[in-house]
Amino acid sequence: MNTPIQPFTSSSELARPTVADAVVGFSETPLFIRKPNAEDGWGVYELVKACPPLDVNSAYAYLLLATQFRDTCAVATNEEGEIVGFVSGYVKDNAPDTYFLWQVAVGEKARGTGLARRLVEAILSRPELTNVHHLETTITPDNLASWGLFRRLAARWHAPLNSREYFSTEQLGGEHDPENLVRIGPFQADHI
């Protein structure tokens, strides 16, 4: 019995730029949300560097996210193509109904537009995430912007929000605030 050989599709081919999933913002300053690609890796790295107190990962890590995890990540660009927003995350292998959101970054030019929420909802609205009914993330106790975002998401989705300490300062090497695990859900896809 011969098994047909499947053609190989490179990561760069899989990560070709596509039409925006959504257009948000104001008519005079539209923002375009889409899946990332390899050309976005450096721009995401630069965006995260400009958004303290976010932990900055290597440019290589952002290239991997933009190609290998592109179905569960999103970038937002302005009309000039500058990356002004980014969300990374993945569906958990041991809990396929749960999306773990790793990082949210919104640049100064896009703040106040509701972009963080729109990025998260754009990802969760994708067909490949239809079975997701919980969102998890970790937040330091003093990150008021992130707490505000996730409380607003829970309220908007009519879903409970629960939190507990997940990683202690000691587990994080003694130089990082503790991280609380935050879980929203269950929520219904039609509420997003």
Side-chain angles (χ1 to χ4, degrees):
M1 172 155 86
N2 289 335
T3 304
I5 296 174
Q6 297 295 320
F8 175 76
T9 305
S10 70
S11 294
S12 62
E13 187 67 24
L14 289 171
R16 279 189 179 282
T18 59
V19 176
D21 296 329
V23 179
V24 299
F26 306 103
S27 59
E28 65 275 2
T29 57
L31 301 173
F32 305 92
I33 296 174
R34 61 174 170 75
K35 292 180 181 182
N37 60 64
E39 287 74 34
D40 296 322
W42 186 258
V44 169
Y45 173 72
E46 290 294 322
L47 171 68
V48 174
K49 281 189 352 186
C51 294
L54 290 179
D55 292 330
V56 180
N57 299 288
S58 69
Y60 178 71
Y62 293 113
L63 279 168
L64 285 176
L65 289 167
T67 56
Q68 302 298 314
F69 294 90
R70 69 185 306 263
D71 288 341
T72 56
C73 296
V75 293
T77 61
N78 60 19
E79 286 185 299
E80 292 77 40
E82 177 186 5
I83 295 174
V84 296
F86 174 68
V87 168
S88 62
Y90 54 90
V91 176
K92 294 174 66 170
D93 285 339
N94 62 347
D97 68 338
T98 302
Y99 176 80
F100 185 88
L101 191 152
W102 181 14
Q103 203 165 41
V104 177
V106 175
E108 193 172 322
K109 293 178 182 178
R111 291 188 185 141
T113 63
L115 181 59
R117 174 188 60 81
R118 293 168 191 241
L119 283 161
V120 172
E121 290 182 344
I123 293 168
L124 294 177
S125 297
R126 292 176 181 162
E128 51 268 40
L129 276 77
T130 55
N131 294 324
V132 168
H133 299 285
H134 295 87
L135 181 144
E136 290 183 351
T137 193
T138 63
I139 307 174
T140 57
D142 63 346
N143 188 336
L144 300 180
S146 288
W147 282 107
L149 168 64
F150 288 94
R151 285 185 179 116
R152 287 189 301 277
L153 288 173
R156 180 176 167 85
W157 300 343
H158 308 287
L161 181 147
N162 295 292
S163 161
R164 64 175 172 85
E165 187 174 286
Y166 193 57
F167 295 126
S168 69
T169 298
E170 293 76 30
Q171 288 173 308
L172 293 164
E175 297 180 13
H176 191 290
D177 290 337
E179 293 275 352
N180 288 344
L181 179 67
V182 178
R183 182 174 172 88
I184 300 174
F187 52 80
Q188 298 302 315
D190 58 355
H191 283 80
I192 296 176

